[in-house]
Amino acid sequence: MKDFQGTPGTLTGLLLRTSQCLFAAGSIASMATTSSFFRITAFCYLMASMALQVIWSFALACLDTYALARKKVLHNPILVSLFVVGDWVTAILSLAAAASSAGVVVLYTGDFGLWKGEECLKYQISVSLAFFSWIMVEISSFIMFWILAAG
Amino acid sequence: MKDFQGTPGTLTGLLLRTSQCLFAAGSIASMATTSSFFRITAFCYLMASMALQVIWSFALACLDTYALARKKVLHNPILVSLFVVGDWVTAILSLAAAASSAGVVVLYTGDFGLWKGEECLKYQISVSLAFFSWIMVEISSFIMFWILAAG
């Protein structure tokens, strides 16, 4: 196992988890305040995916805080394998959700020019935050996979 | 470096590259035969992404064939780093393209029920083949990243 910033139980690891959680929560909040997101499957999928992201990242942020407070090293191979699977699943789901919602938003704002105003802006903010959340979880996934493969 | 099936210069590696290339080519062919894909950004992005996938996978399939014929081992760290970056970029672009197109197709076929018939079927086939291509390139990406991290 290699020990560097971003691995579980480090301050950078905790910051990554917190930012994933906050971006995903922001994405949900922005989408939930629109009046008709539930009519579009891609937006419902984005909500479900971001909810999963919030739960996963929050749980790992708590674990990182515990490890930091007790000065424990979380490099148990079984634990790291679990983190790798969880991170890759949430990363793939987040990217797919963000991209499918972006496809719909671009269709209505760019291609057809039908959506304008505050509602449209909320959709765009939600999709952007989902992409930011995905970037953060992708970084975590690479770090996890690296420590598993190099272990 | 670890040596197992699926790494560059093996028969499984060649099969993975060939299937990526064929699925991506099939996706382009199915989309190109529709009459109005160019009006929708997500579908244009799918075409561009799958074209990149075809070029990348075809180049690596040729390299694998050469390595198999000459019985060479392609585990040079610089070469593997290049494969890792290329694979991850194409994998992320393929998933984003497939998901954004799927978002649009589901919107019109499922949510609004506006698209029916042959044209719609072609869109669905194109998106499905893009997802298959992504699954294959994702497997290659994991293998490449593994041999880089374990090297």
Side-chain angles (χ1 to χ4, degrees):
Chain A
M1 297 282 176
K2 292 189 174 178
D3 195 20
F4 50 88
Q5 282 301 309
T7 53
T10 62
L11 191 64
T12 326
L14 177 63
L15 284 175
L16 274 172
R17 296 295 171 192
T18 313
S19 59
Q20 286 160 27
C21 192
L22 289 178
F23 283 134
S27 177
I28 292 174
S30 184
M31 189 59 86
T33 52
T34 61
S35 59
S36 54
F37 78 87
F38 48 85
R39 287 174 54 203
I40 297 169
T41 307
F43 293 165
C44 295
Y45 172 44
L46 182 78
M47 290 284 273
S49 174
M50 287 298 113
L52 179 70
Q53 187 66 66
V54 167
I55 296 165
W56 174 255
S57 299
F58 183 74
L60 265 73
C62 291
L63 203 66
D64 277 349
T65 313
Y66 168 80
L68 272 173
R70 295 289 183 96
K71 297 197 190 308
K72 287 202 173 188
V73 181
L74 298 173
H75 281 186
N76 180 306
I78 299 166
L79 210 59
V80 171
S81 306
L82 183 76
F83 292 161
V84 167
V85 174
D87 269 344
W88 280 107
V89 169
T90 53
I92 288 169
L93 290 180
S94 296
L95 176 60
S100 59
S101 299
V104 174
V105 170
V106 169
L107 181 80
Y108 278 106
T109 53
D111 300 345
F112 298 160
L114 293 172
W115 282 353
K116 286 182 182 77
E118 197 192 345
E119 189 94 347
C120 173
L121 187 70
K122 281 180 184 172
Y123 289 139
Q124 288 172 328
I125 290 171
S126 177
V127 170
S128 309
L129 290 175
F131 271 114
F132 286 132
S133 179
W134 166 73
I135 291 168
M136 293 299 155
V137 77
E138 191 73 12
I139 296 169
S140 285
S141 311
F142 273 111
I143 292 169
M144 291 296 167
F145 196 63
W146 189 275
I147 58 174
L148 181 72
Chain B
M1 297 284 174
K2 293 189 176 180
D3 196 18
F4 51 90
Q5 283 302 312
T7 55
T10 61
L11 191 65
T12 325
L14 177 63
L15 284 175
L16 273 172
R17 296 295 171 193
T18 314
S19 58
Q20 285 160 28
C21 192
L22 289 178
F23 283 133
S27 176
I28 292 174
S30 184
M31 189 59 85
T33 52
T34 61
S35 59
S36 55
F37 77 87
F38 48 84
R39 287 173 54 205
I40 296 169
T41 309
F43 293 164
C44 296
Y45 172 44
L46 183 78
M47 290 284 271
S49 174
M50 286 297 113
L52 179 71
Q53 186 66 65
V54 167
I55 297 166
W56 174 254
S57 300
F58 183 74
L60 264 73
C62 291
L63 202 67
D64 276 348
T65 313
Y66 169 80
L68 272 172
R70 295 289 183 98
K71 298 197 192 305
K72 287 202 174 187
V73 181
L74 298 173
H75 282 185
N76 179 306
I78 299 165
L79 209 58
V80 172
S81 306
L82 182 76
F83 293 162
V84 168
V85 174
D87 269 344
W88 279 107
V89 169
T90 52
I92 288 170
L93 290 180
S94 295
L95 176 60
S100 60
S101 299
V104 174
V105 170
V106 168
L107 181 79
Y108 278 107
T109 53
D111 300 345
F112 298 162
L114 294 172
W115 281 352
K116 286 182 182 75
E118 199 191 345
E119 189 94 347
C120 173
L121 189 68
K122 282 180 183 171
Y123 289 140
Q124 288 172 328
I125 291 170
S126 177
V127 170
S128 308
L129 289 174
F131 271 113
F132 286 132
S133 179
W134 166 72
I135 291 167
M136 294 298 156
V137 77
E138 191 74 11
I139 295 169
S140 285
S141 311
F142 273 111
I143 293 169
M144 290 297 168
F145 196 63
W146 189 274
I147 58 174
L148 180 73

